[in-house]
């Protein structure tokens, strides 16, 4: 007994020494030399690579109560809580794309993009969210957008759900009510039937983490429910089931006639181990599993990542819960969810450092963040502009390599990448640098690591309503004058830069003059 105690004491001391060593190693590595590589690749894009731009309904459309549209949760959230937006604004008019969509398409045409990713507002076509009340004007609006794109030779990538849940469904519990799986399935079927022949690819749900963690965990986004570590997991479970049902509807009822491909867009930062010590490497891997794996693992492998199942069960017990706060999937549900993707859709903006928590008996607060049991931080030496979208291009290459290593060589489409400015300048050099360096790391990942990335989508074609940042953060390749009722769009320099990349299929200016034609392996 005594010797066992001694052994425990020794191993605890050894553990503490290892952690201390890791801490010192990570502090010494703080010089950032390893991240200094911001250089631009001199290789060209593969010949069949596709370039796009993206938006979402609430962020650009306006017309919040026109032509039969129903109210949705961001109408309510912004009207009832203007203080939650940095500039107390809302999307009532936004870029007025409901009326000005042809101007948006003209901007895309000018840039020369291959495709446009935009979303359908559920309550514009089903004002109450359910299939018994279809708004014909809403259907017509999206058909007009799709036809305009087609007429201009631009393919469509359509998102079914980019956060704007019909209010009536929120009043019935929103993503916490299991019935939402059926409501969503009906809505998805209607969209596939009405719009399918114009759509090249579908993103069923955009960024489930933002929906559940910000909507039902810390409550910063609509519907503003605060239930960290509990209801945010219930939300995630229903989002995944709704996604899976919609994907199956497409697969079983539409795939034979429509040639589109279907996925869900997962947002993930890269998490860089704070040192090469095993504890930090494991910490970074754990965090990636809590962020990307939380949604990718179910659709690819059928269930939550094992580390989530284990951590949350352990912490729940220590916190006095009778069972794990992470609701399990039944065998039937695992079979339903597994395989419901045709490609991996990744939204990526920035990176964090990840380190192990020093106390081996640590039990955190009840929340998704704390359940990972990992410390994350940004280095003080990193660029802070646009926080939390700090520009760290090397992280893009690393997450792409990690996805390949973790989930195999599935096709990956980058469904969002971009950076905000706060001034609205047309000479947006910073954005050009951001795009050039991020795309550069992506191209290197394609050639050096064989990562199968086939498309890149800039967020966004136009400045728009950036959720709780309102109009203070401007992501557009085109400036939109929000104080002019006619909302004029003006090209920023970045739109011309992106246009040149698409035309030359190359990141470097001099490529244009020396390239003869598309040749994916040739250096520029
Ligand atoms: C993620 C979201 O999908 C989009 O709505 C948002 O505006 C951008 N990233 C930028 O934060």
């Amino acid at each position: 007994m005594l010797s066992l105690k001694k052994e425990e004491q020794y191993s605890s001391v050894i553990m503490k020494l290892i952690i201390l060593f890791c801490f010192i190693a990570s502090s010494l590595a703080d010089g950032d030399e390893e991240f200094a590589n911001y250089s631009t690749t001199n290789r060209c894009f593969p010949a069949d690579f596709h370039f796009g731009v993206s938006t979402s309904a609430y962020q650009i459309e306006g017309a919040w109560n026109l032509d039969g549209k129903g109210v949705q949760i961001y109408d309510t959230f912004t009207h009832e809580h203007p203080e939650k937006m940095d500039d107390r604004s809302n999307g009532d008019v936004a870029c007025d794309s409901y009326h000005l969509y042809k101007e948006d398409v003209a901007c895309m045409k000018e840039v020369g993009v291959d495709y446009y990713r935009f979303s359908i507002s559920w309550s514009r076509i089903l004002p109450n969210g359910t299939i018994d009340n279809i708004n014909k004007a809403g259907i017509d609006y999206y058909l007009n957008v799709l036809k305009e794109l087609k007429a201009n030779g631009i393919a469509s990538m359509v998102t079914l759900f980019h956060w704007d849940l019909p209010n009536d469904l929120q009043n019935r519990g929103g993503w916490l009510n299991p019935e939402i799986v059926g409501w969503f399935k009906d809505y998805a079927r209607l969209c596939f039937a009405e719009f399918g022949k114009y759509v090249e690819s579908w993103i069923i749900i955009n960024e489930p983490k933002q929906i559940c963690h910000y909507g039902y965990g810390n409550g910063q986004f609509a519907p503003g429910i605060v239930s960290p570590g509990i209801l945010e997991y219930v939300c995630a479970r229903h989002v995944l089931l709704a996604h899976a049902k919609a994907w199956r509807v497409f697969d079983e009822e539409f795939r034979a006639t429509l040639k589109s491909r279907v996925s869900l867009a997962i947002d993930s930062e890269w998490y860089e181990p704070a040192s090469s010590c095993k504890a930090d490497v494991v910490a970074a891997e754990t965090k990636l599993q809590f962020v990307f794996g939380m949604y990718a693992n179910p659709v690819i492998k059928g269930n939550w990542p094992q580390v989530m199942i284990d951590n949350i069960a352990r912490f729940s017990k220590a916190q006095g819960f009778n069972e794990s706060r992470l609701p399990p999937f039944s065998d039937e549900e695992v079979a339903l969810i597994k395989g419901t993707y045709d490609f991996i859709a990744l939204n990526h903006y920035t990176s964090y450092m990840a380190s192990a928590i020093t106390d081996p008996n640590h039990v955190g607060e009840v929340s998704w963040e704390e359940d990972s049991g990992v410390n994350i931080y940004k280095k003080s030496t990193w660029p802070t502009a646009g926080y939390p979208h700090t520009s760290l291009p090397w992280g893009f290459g690393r997450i792409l390599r990690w996805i390949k290593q973790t989930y195999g060589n599935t096709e990956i489409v980058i469904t969002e990448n971009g950076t905000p400015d706060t001034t609205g300048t047309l000479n947006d050099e910073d954005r050009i640098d951001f795009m050039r360096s991020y795309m550069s790391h992506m191209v290197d990942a394609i050639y050096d690591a064989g990562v199968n990335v086939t498309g890149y989508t800039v967020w966004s074609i136009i400045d728009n309503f950036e959720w709780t940042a309102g109009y203070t953060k401007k992501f557009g390749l085109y400036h939109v004058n929000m104080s002019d009722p006619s909302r004029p769009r003006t090209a920023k320099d970045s739109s011309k830069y992106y246009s040149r990349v698409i035309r030359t299929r190359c990141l470097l200016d001099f490529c244009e003059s020396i390239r003869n034609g598309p040749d994916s392996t040739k250096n520029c």
Side-chain angles (χ1 to χ4, degrees):
M1 190 65 182
L2 200 69
S3 71
L4 191 66
K5 269 236 154 93
K6 270 220 158 114
E7 238 173 53
E8 274 175 7
Q9 278 171 359
Y10 284 142
S11 64
S12 153
V13 170
I14 289 170
M15 188 70 166
K16 281 182 183 147
L17 280 174
I18 292 175
I19 288 165
L20 184 68
F21 175 77
C22 285
F23 178 72
I24 294 169
S26 72
S27 324
L28 289 176
D30 227 35
D32 264 358
E33 306 77 26
E34 63 204 294
F35 306 131
N37 179 15
Y38 281 69
S39 68
T40 306
T41 189
N42 65 348
R43 289 184 283 204
C44 300
F45 283 89
D48 54 356
F49 195 87
H50 290 98
F51 297 91
V53 285
S54 45
T55 62
S56 87
Y58 185 63
Q59 295 179 270
I60 63 160
E61 281 177 7
W64 75 280
N65 59 355
L66 290 189
D67 297 344
K69 175 182 166 291
V71 176
Q72 50 83 18
I73 58 172
Y74 273 94
D75 298 323
T76 313
F77 186 74
T78 54
H79 293 163
E80 291 180 0
H81 295 286
E83 75 285 357
K84 295 205 173 182
M85 271 41 72
D86 292 347
D87 54 2
R88 301 181 68 86
S89 65
N90 57 50
D92 287 2
V93 180
C95 311
D96 200 17
S97 292
Y98 186 69
H99 298 108
L100 303 177
Y101 64 91
K102 289 190 179 177
E103 293 192 18
D104 297 343
V105 177
C107 295
M108 293 171 222
K109 180 89 177 162
E110 187 168 65
V111 175
V113 299
D114 298 311
Y115 64 93
Y116 176 37
R117 174 179 176 228
F118 66 99
S119 80
I120 292 174
S121 166
W122 188 341
S123 70
R124 197 178 289 289
I125 66 171
L126 296 177
N128 315 103
T130 46
I131 199 75
D132 44 3
N133 177 16
I134 300 176
N135 180 31
K136 171 93 172 49
I139 305 257
D140 288 346
Y141 167 65
Y142 293 111
L143 281 174
N144 288 339
V145 174
L146 289 162
K147 286 177 188 165
E148 182 70 10
L149 287 164
K150 189 166 184 219
N152 283 280
I154 300 169
S156 296
M157 175 185 277
V158 177
T159 306
L160 286 181
F161 185 72
H162 202 121
W163 311 354
D164 43 357
L165 190 74
N167 226 50
D168 284 357
L169 299 185
Q170 190 61 52
N171 292 339
R172 295 163 75 179
W175 287 105
L176 302 179
N177 184 339
E179 279 189 79
I180 197 159
V181 177
W183 301 328
F184 189 76
K185 186 172 96 170
D186 292 343
Y187 162 61
R189 180 183 284 117
L190 176 70
C191 291
F192 296 146
E194 292 287 344
F195 310 124
K197 69 174 178 181
Y198 294 102
V199 178
E200 189 176 78
S201 41
W202 295 93
I203 298 297
I204 295 181
I205 290 178
N206 178 66
E207 298 194 351
K209 174 165 63 117
Q210 308 291 322
I211 299 166
C212 297
H213 174 54
Y214 288 90
Y216 295 81
N218 65 26
Q220 286 172 14
F221 285 180
I225 292 169
V226 181
S227 177
I230 299 178
L231 295 184
E232 58 183 328
Y233 291 139
V234 176
C235 168
R237 185 172 181 283
H238 291 148
V239 163
L240 280 160
L241 290 169
H243 157 79
K245 281 271 185 204
W247 193 92
R248 298 272 171 219
V249 164
F250 184 87
D251 204 44
E252 285 155 21
E253 301 172 27
F254 296 91
R255 197 181 286 279
T257 46
L258 302 174
K259 295 295 164 225
S260 351
R261 293 163 350 113
V262 191
S263 192
L264 90 165
I266 303 175
D267 56 311
S268 185
E269 301 85 18
W270 166 248
Y271 293 89
E272 178 72 17
S275 76
S276 53
C277 284
K278 188 161 177 225
D280 288 337
V281 173
V282 169
E285 176 67 25
T286 300
K287 192 69 193 179
L288 284 161
Q289 285 300 334
F290 266 77
V291 177
F292 187 78
M294 179 170 178
Y295 297 98
N297 216 76
V299 300
I300 296 173
K301 299 182 180 170
N303 207 347
W304 305 113
Q306 194 58 43
V307 69
M308 285 191 73
I309 297 174
D310 295 345
N311 272 21
I312 299 172
R314 187 160 46 86
F315 285 146
S316 301
K317 196 165 170 210
Q319 288 154 343
F321 290 87
N322 292 334
E323 54 188 14
S324 174
R325 289 179 278 101
L326 184 67
F329 291 113
S330 66
D331 291 349
E332 205 182 310
E333 288 167 341
V334 166
L336 170 79
I337 300 171
K338 187 174 177 181
T340 53
Y341 68 106
D342 295 326
F343 57 93
I344 291 176
L346 172 71
N347 292 359
H348 174 80
Y349 289 86
T350 192
S351 296
Y352 287 86
M353 300 299 292
S355 65
I357 287 184
T358 43
D359 175 2
N361 301 316
H362 166 85
V363 176
E365 304 275 303
V366 176
S367 77
W368 163 77
E369 277 109 338
E370 297 270 328
D371 281 338
S372 66
V374 171
N375 262 327
I376 61 162
Y377 59 95
K378 297 226 178 208
K379 287 192 172 187
S380 55
T381 46
W382 285 354
T384 51
Y387 182 85
H389 296 92
T390 318
S391 173
L392 298 164
W394 49 266
F396 193 23
R398 291 187 192 189
I399 193 168
L400 290 172
R401 286 167 163 85
W402 177 82
I403 290 173
K404 179 181 177 195
Q405 205 181 307
T406 312
Y407 299 102
N409 203 17
T410 312
E411 179 183 348
I412 301 173
V413 176
I414 307 306
T415 35
E416 280 184 35
N417 178 240
T419 189
D421 67 73
T422 50
T423 62
T425 177
L426 300 181
N427 310 120
D428 52 343
E429 270 303 314
D430 289 351
R431 179 169 293 104
I432 294 173
D433 279 352
F434 178 99
M435 291 167 68
R436 185 187 277 135
S437 51
Y438 269 70
M439 283 194 276
S440 181
H441 282 270
M442 175 178 72
V443 170
D444 282 347
I446 294 172
Y447 290 118
D448 296 343
V451 185
N452 187 14
V453 188
T454 60
Y456 173 83
T457 322
V458 171
W459 183 274
S460 173
I461 181 69
I462 48 176
D463 292 343
N464 57 56
F465 178 78
E466 177 57 18
W467 310 109
T468 52
Y471 298 99
T472 64
K473 293 259 171 80
K474 302 161 200 304
F475 278 85
L477 299 177
Y478 283 73
H479 174 261
V480 179
N481 183 347
M482 296 292 174
S483 38
D484 182 330
S486 62
R487 297 291 192 272
R489 280 89 162 127
T490 311
K492 299 181 190 176
D493 288 349
S494 57
S495 73
K496 294 166 196 154
Y497 167 72
Y498 194 38
S499 181
R500 199 168 58 227
V501 170
I502 297 171
R503 207 171 53 240
T504 62
R505 317 196 69 77
C506 193
L507 297 168
L508 299 177
D509 294 351
F510 64 78
C511 294
E512 191 161 9
S513 54
I514 61 165
R515 271 186 66 82
N516 308 321
D519 174 352
S520 55
T521 55
K522 195 163 75 184
N523 286 347
C524 289

